[in-house]
Amino acid sequence: MSYNDNETMATGMRVPIWDGSGNFNAWTDKVMTALQDKGCAIAVVRDLCRVTADEPLKRIFSAADYKTDGQAASVIKNALSDIHDGQFTDMTAFEIWAELKKLYGTQSADDLVNKIIDLFNFRMAPDDMDGRRFLVQFNFLQKKIDLTGLSCDNLINLILLASLNKHYEPVRTEFSKTPAAQIS
């Protein structure tokens, strides 16, 4: 595995370069450690920018969050090989991290089931008269669900798992670490 010496100087850590091969989860652990050391890990845990119902395409950051997001995006981009050049332009650190997880990570059934439950439980607020706030929030929840590589059967089985009550928690636990695409 190769390392980026510029990032080593910036963070004081040797961050491995991700080229699409090897153990993605191990790489994310090392990058997350570098992000924590720089104090900007929050930028990949939650999206620091917010959108408004009036202008859903406009990103709004506080000055501190803008700096934190920039630091996190820099750490991540410096830990990527040249095959990713230009791929993550105009994206927040949160979006870059999510896209890398979609490309290289495996989503566990439990993660996906919880996201599906969140989406199923989401309802429009009684005071939302034009629906724009609802659509922005719904779109955010929907984007967190990655169905790449799932068949209709996989999705139906995940919905079945999501609909089980607490008495069937052992069944959900049984499948909690299984990759979502392997649920049948």
Side-chain angles (χ1 to χ4, degrees), residues 117-129:
I117 289 170
D118 289 345
L119 190 61
F120 281 150
N121 290 333
F122 183 69
R123 299 289 180 264
M124 180 185 268
D127 63 337
D128 188 358
M129 301 309 281

Side-chain angles (χ1 to χ4, degrees), residues 18-33:
W18 179 253
D19 62 1
S21 64
N23 185 331
F24 179 72
N25 290 332
W27 177 82
T28 58
D29 288 346
K30 290 175 181 164
V31 173
M32 185 59 83
T33 300

Side-chain angles (χ1 to χ4, degrees), residues 80-94:
L80 295 172
S81 71
D82 293 343
I83 64 169
H84 296 289
D85 278 354
Q87 187 173 357
F88 301 112
T89 307
D90 297 327
M91 292 175 76
T92 65
F94 182 82

Side-chain angles (χ1 to χ4, degrees), residues 111-121 145 147 155 158-159 162:
D111 292 340
L112 195 50
V113 165
N114 287 330
K115 290 173 186 175
I116 290 170
I117 289 170
D118 289 345
L119 190 61
F120 281 150
N121 290 333
I145 298 175
L147 301 176
L155 183 57
L158 288 167
I159 292 169

Side-chain angles (χ1 to χ4, degrees), residues 3-41:
Y3 293 86
N4 183 331
D5 290 329
N6 292 333
E7 190 56 34
T8 300
M9 289 184 287
T11 63
M13 297 186 63
R14 289 189 57 81
V15 179
I17 300 297
W18 179 253
D19 62 1
S21 64
N23 185 331
F24 179 72
N25 290 332
W27 177 82
T28 58
D29 288 346
K30 290 175 181 164
V31 173
M32 185 59 83
T33 300
L35 292 168
Q36 290 168 340
D37 285 352
K38 282 194 77 131
C40 57

